Amino acid sequence: MARIDLVDLAQSYSGNDADPESFALKPISMTWRQGGAYALLGPSGCGKTTLLNLISGIVTPTRGQILFDGKDITPLSTQKRNIAQVFQFPVIYDTMTVGENLAFPLKNRGVPKAQIDARVAEISELLDLTPYLGRKATRLTPDAKQKISLGRGLVRSDVAAVLFDEPLTVIDPALKWELRSKLKALHRALDLTMIYVTHDQTEALTFADTVVVMHDGRVVQSGTPQELFDKPAHTFVGYFIGSPGMNIVPAEVSGREARIGGHVIALQRSYDRMSADATIEIGIRPEFVHVATPAPGLLQAQVERVDDLGRISFARVRIGGVKFAARVPQGFSIVGSEVGLVFDPGRVHVYADSRLVEGTA
Amino acid sequence: MMDKTVNQKAWFLVLPVFLIVAFSAVLPLMTVVNYSVQDTFGNNQFFWNGVGWFKELLDPSSDLGGRFYASLARNLAFSAIILAIEVPLGILVALSMPRDGWRVAACLVILALPLLIPWNVVGTIWQIFGRPDIGLLGYTLNHMGIDYNYVSNEFDAWATVIVMDVWHWTSLVALLCYAGLKSIPDAYYQAAQIDGASRWAVFRAIQLPKLNRVLLIGVLLRFMDSFMIYTEPFVVTGGGPGNSTTFVSIELVKIALGQFDLGKAAALSLVYNIIVLIVCWIFYTVMTNVGVDHTKREGAV
C-alpha cells in the first residue's frame, strides 16, 4: 500500500527526441493517494493504458519518475514493484484449479502455505468463487475467468495498487453491473489503492471516487464524478461525460452576457478581458436548458428529432449550424419545427480555447 | 412439411471418388490381403494357406515371428529414444528463438534446411560423415582416441542413426512449437510478470499448456515417421551390424524382395499397417478430446 506520485512522467513510443505532440503520454505530474478508487477515463488511444502500463512497469517511461511512498521505483521491474494488474481479457492458467490460480501470485513470492490458504479463502468468498476452488480453471465462462483474474489481482494484501485495464470488456452487460458493484465493495473491504482504466463513463463514475479524464495523451481534468458533471474543466470533459454530452456553442462573451448570433444569454458571473484571439465557446448540459414555445426573448432553434429516454426526453435541435440538445419539460409537446430555448444561467460555462474560464462574481 | 425427394442418382456423383479410392488404395490393399493367405513356389502358382502366415508371424518361437518381434522391439525403442530427445530439444530450440527482427527469418530458414533434404540424401550425408577413413565426424572421433565405427559396432550404429534422425527432424518439432508459442497473447506474459512468476513457472503454467496441441501433433508425426523409418538407416547401416538396426520396414523389404516370401511379407505388412492405424486412432481421439475441452462450457460461476 502506498501513495503513488508521478513526476513529470512522459512516454513516447518513438523515442525521446520525437515531436512532443506525438507523445503517447504528454508529461504529467500527479498524486494518487493511498486507498483511493481512481478511474482513468478517456476514448481509445488517449494514453490511459500507457499510463497504467507505466505504473505497473510493463512499459518503461521515456521521461520522468514514479514514486511509491516517495521512493523512486522507475527503474524497478514489474516483479519488484509490488503491483497487481488485471487485463482486458481474462488471463488464467489452464492447467491449474481455480484455487491454485488464486494462490499463484502468493506462491511465487514464497508466502507461507497457511497464509496463502487464508487469503485465497477470503478473496474467493468475496468473489463468490468458493464453490469452484477445486475445479480446473479452464472450461469456465469468460466472466468466471475474469473473476479469477480479478481475484489474482486482489489476492496480495501488500500491493501498492491494483490496476484494472478495462476488465469488464468481455463481460455480458447484466453481469457487468454485478461485477462493478462487487469491485466497489471489494475496494471498501480491502483498503487497496485501485486504478481502473475504462472508456465507459458509467463504469468510471460508479466505480471511482476520483475520475481522471484523459484526452490525447493529457490529463484534462481529475475530480469527483459530481465535479466532472457540474464543472467540466475542458470542453472534452463536457461532451465525453454525460449522455447526451454537454452542448458547446461558439459565442461572444463580454461582461455578464453571451451572444449567440445576436441573441443575448444572461450569465451569472462576469467575464471581462476575454482574450481576443482565443476561440470562445459556451457550454451547458442538456439537463439545464429546456425547450419552450418560441417567444421573442428566447433563442430560436430548429427541431430535428426527439429522443425519449423514458424518464426524460431530449430534443435534438440546431442553432444555425450547431447541434444542440435540450430537455423537453414533461407535458410539453413540440408544435412545428421551431422552439425557443430557456437557459439556466448558473449552469452556463464559458470556455476559451476549450478550457474553462472562471468568471468573477 | 414437404417430404424429402428421393433421388438415387446422387450416387453417380460419388462414383468417381469411389473409383479413384478403389484403384489407389482398396485394390492394392486387397492384393496384399490375397497374398497373405496364400503360399507360392513361383510360376504364379498359389496355394491356400489360411491364417498360417499370421500364426507364424505372431508366434515368437518361429523364425518369422522372432524376426518380427525383434525388429518391432528395435523400432519401438528407436521411436521412444528419438521422441525423448527431439521433443524436449525442439521445445528448447523454440523457446530460445528470437521473437522478432531479421533473426527470426534467419532462424526459420536454418531450421527448415534439414527438412528439405531428401531422405536418402540425408542417409548418404551421414553415411559419409561418419566414415572413419574419410568422414569428418568419424575421422575426428577416431583421432580423438574414440573408437567409433558404425559398421562394426552396434552402439555406434544406433548412435549414428539416432543422431541423424535428431538432426533431420528436431526442426519440425521446433517449428511447430515456435508457431504455438507465437500464438500466446502478450497479456499472459505480462500477467505472469505481475504475478511474480519465475521463468520456470511461466513455462509450466503458460507455455507448456498452450503448446499441448502442437506437441500432440508433433509427437504423432514424429512417432509415425520414426515407426515407419526405412531409407535413412538403410542407407547408413543397411540394418547392420548383424540385425542390430533392422527396423520393421527393413525386415519387411528383406522378406518381400530379398527372400521373395510374398505370403510372409504380406502378413507382416498387414500387421504393421494395423499397428500404425491403431496408434493414429489413439492420437486422433486424444487430440479431438483436447479440442472439445476448450470449447465446451460447463455452467457459469
Side-chain angles (χ1 to χ4, degrees):
Chain A
M1 284 175 266
R3 187 186 80 240
I4 301 173
D5 294 294
L6 310 180
V7 184
D8 198 25
L9 192 70
Q11 171 64 22
S12 158
Y13 290 108
S14 41
N16 202 1
D17 302 328
D19 171 22
E21 275 306 303
S22 76
F23 275 36
L25 183 73
K26 276 95 181 172
I28 64 162
S29 296
M30 62 188 303
T31 298
W32 314 76
R33 70 173 192 286
Q34 144 64 22
Y38 291 92
L40 272 176
L41 178 65
S44 304
C46 71
K48 55 194 193 306
T49 299
T50 302
L51 179 54
L52 204 68
N53 287 343
L54 285 172
I55 296 174
S56 67
I58 290 171
V59 176
T60 316
T62 315
R63 278 184 211 164
Q65 286 176 314
I66 303 164
L67 314 178
F68 285 5
D69 276 337
K71 196 169 140 268
D72 183 7
I73 52 92
T74 323
L76 293 188
S77 71
T78 302
Q79 271 111 327
K80 300 212 175 90
R81 277 188 193 195
N82 213 9
I83 277 274
Q85 188 167 0
V86 179
F87 296 88
Q88 191 168 2
F89 297 100
V91 173
I92 55 148
Y93 304 112
D94 294 344
T95 48
M96 300 183 195
T97 63
V98 174
E100 285 165 343
N101 259 283
L102 293 178
F104 192 62
L106 298 176
K107 221 175 103 195
N108 285 327
R109 289 178 172 80
V111 177
K113 178 99 174 56
Q115 226 170 307
I116 295 182
D117 290 346
R119 187 68 183 174
V120 167
E122 184 189 348
I123 293 296
S124 58
E125 195 59 49
L126 288 169
L127 286 167
D128 304 326
L129 284 171
T130 312
Y132 307 94
L133 281 181
R135 189 148 139 195
K136 279 261 180 257
T138 166
R139 279 196 261 168
L140 295 172
T141 53
D143 52 285
K145 288 183 177 176
Q146 192 62 313
K147 268 196 197 175
I148 298 171
S149 297
L150 290 173
R152 274 209 326 275
L154 299 168
V155 78
R156 286 155 57 203
S157 51
D158 60 338
V159 287
V162 187
L163 314 178
F164 302 93
D165 189 358
E166 310 198 21
L168 302 183
T169 312
V170 290
I171 312 293
D172 289 341
L175 284 160
K176 253 185 201 177
W177 273 104
E178 191 199 314
L179 274 180
R180 202 154 53 209
S181 30
K182 186 130 274 173
L183 271 180
K184 186 83 185 159
L186 284 169
H187 177 252
R188 283 193 215 103
L190 296 174
D191 186 35
L192 295 168
T193 309
M194 294 190 180
I195 303 176
Y196 189 106
V197 159
T198 178
H199 58 247
D200 180 338
Q201 50 166 311
T202 325
E203 258 173 43
L205 299 178
T206 49
F207 171 78
D209 350 300
T210 309
V211 178
V212 178
V213 183
M214 293 190 67
H215 174 50
D216 194 23
R218 283 192 184 88
V219 171
V220 285
Q221 187 172 8
S222 135
T224 63
Q226 197 61 42
E227 283 167 5
L228 297 184
F229 187 80
D230 287 345
K231 220 173 179 191
H234 192 278
T235 51
F236 174 78
V237 180
Y239 64 74
F240 193 70
I241 289 173
S243 178
M246 189 183 234
N247 296 303
I248 311 285
V249 187
E252 289 159 37
V253 174
S254 64
R256 287 175 189 273
E257 285 181 349
R259 259 168 219 286
I260 303 172
H263 180 86
V264 175
I265 293 167
L267 301 173
Q268 214 170 40
R269 298 177 145 244
S270 173
Y271 299 85
D272 299 313
R273 296 194 306 275
M274 296 294 285
S275 161
D277 35 290
T279 312
I280 308 294
E281 289 157 317
I282 62 161
I284 183 160
R285 293 210 172 267
E287 287 82 354
F288 305 123
V289 48
H290 65 87
V291 297
T293 321
L298 299 180
L299 179 61
Q300 294 249 332
Q302 289 77 47
V303 181
E304 292 197 320
R305 62 169 203 275
V306 174
D307 291 343
D308 191 345
L309 305 182
R311 272 182 307 112
I312 190 165
S313 300
F314 288 104
R316 301 293 186 151
V317 301
R318 243 171 213 288
I319 304 169
V322 184
K323 286 189 175 178
F324 201 92
R327 190 163 56 83
V328 181
Q330 281 198 334
F332 180 81
S333 55
I334 296 169
V335 184
S337 63
E338 295 276 310
V339 288
L341 298 173
V342 182
F343 288 75
D344 175 351
R347 300 293 190 162
V348 181
H349 300 290
V350 175
Y351 294 90
D353 282 338
S354 302
R355 295 191 181 281
L356 184 68
V357 182
E358 294 280 355
T360 47
Chain B
M1 266 269 299
M2 253 176 37
D3 283 323
K4 269 189 188 167
T5 341
V6 177
N7 188 344
Q8 302 291 2
K9 272 182 267 180
W11 289 107
F12 286 107
L13 298 175
V14 188
L15 200 62
V17 175
F18 181 77
L19 285 176
I20 290 171
V21 171
F23 273 96
S24 68
V26 180
L27 289 182
L29 184 68
M30 284 306 133
T31 329
V32 176
V33 172
N34 190 27
Y35 283 141
S36 73
V37 290
Q38 303 192 66
D39 196 2
T40 177
F41 300 108
N43 281 338
N44 221 12
Q45 280 184 305
F46 285 89
F47 308 93
W48 176 254
N49 190 24
V51 291
W53 294 130
F54 289 98
K55 269 189 181 159
E56 201 181 327
L57 181 74
L58 298 177
D59 174 12
S61 59
S62 70
D63 169 59
L64 179 64
R67 282 164 71 183
F68 169 63
Y69 281 115
S71 62
L72 185 64
R74 279 191 289 269
N75 220 151
L76 290 174
F78 176 73
S79 294
I81 293 172
I82 63 112
L83 281 178
I85 299 174
E86 286 174 18
V87 171
L89 189 61
I91 296 174
L92 209 64
V93 170
L95 284 175
S96 41
M97 269 174 75
R99 303 258 128 209
D100 40 34
W102 61 271
R103 289 176 306 160
V104 176
C107 278
L108 290 178
V109 168
I110 291 169
L111 277 180
L113 275 179
L115 301 175
L116 300 175
I117 301 174
W119 298 6
N120 56 347
V121 176
V122 172
T124 314
I125 291 175
W126 281 82
Q127 204 255 356
I128 296 170
F129 190 45
R131 275 175 66 162
D133 51 351
I134 56 165
L136 188 61
L137 175 71
Y139 186 83
T140 315
L141 282 178
N142 280 296
H143 255 253
M144 284 162 65
I146 301 163
D147 184 21
Y148 166 82
N149 189 335
Y150 63 81
V151 180
S152 58
N153 184 308
E154 285 187 15
F155 179 83
D156 293 350
W158 268 80
T160 311
V161 174
I162 286 166
V163 171
M164 173 176 63
D165 198 82
V166 168
W167 175 84
H168 195 179
W169 290 113
T170 303
S171 298
L172 180 75
V173 182
L175 290 176
L176 282 171
C177 289
Y178 184 69
L181 286 174
K182 283 286 260 194
S183 69
I184 303 175
D186 274 347
Y188 276 83
Y189 294 111
Q190 294 174 348
Q193 236 187 330
I194 280 161
D195 291 339
S198 61
R199 185 71 195 82
W200 174 245
V202 170
F203 178 68
R204 281 290 309 279
I206 299 173
Q207 291 171 322
L208 201 55
K210 298 277 171 200
L211 286 181
N212 216 342
R213 302 209 66 188
V214 287
L215 276 181
L216 258 172
I217 295 169
V219 168
L220 172 66
L221 288 176
R222 282 318 301 134
F223 176 80
M224 297 324 297
D225 263 352
S226 62
F227 191 65
M228 300 189 289
I229 194 167
Y230 174 78
T231 321
E232 299 127 292
F234 183 77
V235 173
V236 177
T237 64
N243 277 331
S244 60
T245 54
T246 303
F247 299 122
V248 182
S249 60
I250 298 180
E251 197 69 88
L252 178 64
V253 173
K254 274 188 190 168
I255 295 169
L257 302 178
Q259 305 163 216
F260 218 71
D261 276 330
L262 289 185
K264 290 179 183 175
L268 173 54
S269 53
L270 284 179
V271 172
Y272 195 13
N273 210 347
I274 286 166
I275 296 174
V276 170
L277 282 179
I278 289 172
V279 174
C280 272
W281 177 78
I282 291 171
F283 269 98
Y284 179 77
T285 315
V286 171
M287 271 199 289
T288 37
N289 280 342
V290 169
V292 166
D293 283 357
H294 282 294
T295 48
K296 197 163 68 183
R297 285 177 187 168
E298 283 182 9
V301 168

